[in-house]
Amino acid sequence: MFAWIKTAYQKTRAGVQKVKAGAQTLAVAGSVALASLFNPAPAEAAVDGAVSAGITALEADAATLGGLATGAVVSIMLIILGIRLVKKMLGRAV
């Protein structure tokens, strides 16, 4: 008899939880934005030059390794796809 009340309660509760999550996200984003606007000293100013050069070299090495890994992954995927395609074609031919 009171099933519609339970359904309405559940729908209202779900809506309130969505609004609450959105409000929390907005509050965090706003506080981060305000902190970045009113920060008197940028974070990069405290980094030593040697550390910055090391990070730049590490980023270049990571980009090179990523390019090599991408080529290897694509090659392996194409080989696997080719093998599956040949198996499927041979299975249908027999």
Side-chain angles (χ1 to χ4, degrees):
M1 180 173 175
F2 295 108
W4 64 272
I5 294 175
K6 183 177 180 180
T7 305
Y9 170 75
Q10 289 173 347
K11 287 182 180 180
T12 305
R13 185 172 180 210
V16 168
Q17 287 175 347
K18 286 181 184 178
V19 170
K20 185 179 176 183
Q24 288 174 344
T25 304
L26 182 63
V28 170
S31 64
V32 168
L34 287 176
S36 65
L37 283 174
F38 296 113
N39 189 7
E44 297 170 0
V47 176
D48 190 19
V51 173
S52 178
I55 290 174
T56 304
L58 183 64
E59 287 175 350
D61 291 343
T64 304
L65 183 60
L68 293 173
T70 301
V73 168
V74 168
S75 299
I76 291 170
M77 292 299 290
L78 287 175
I79 290 170
I80 292 171
L81 182 65
I83 290 171
R84 285 187 177 182
L85 190 61
V86 168
K87 280 184 174 182
K88 186 177 278 191
M89 290 172 63
L90 290 175
R92 288 186 181 179
V94 173

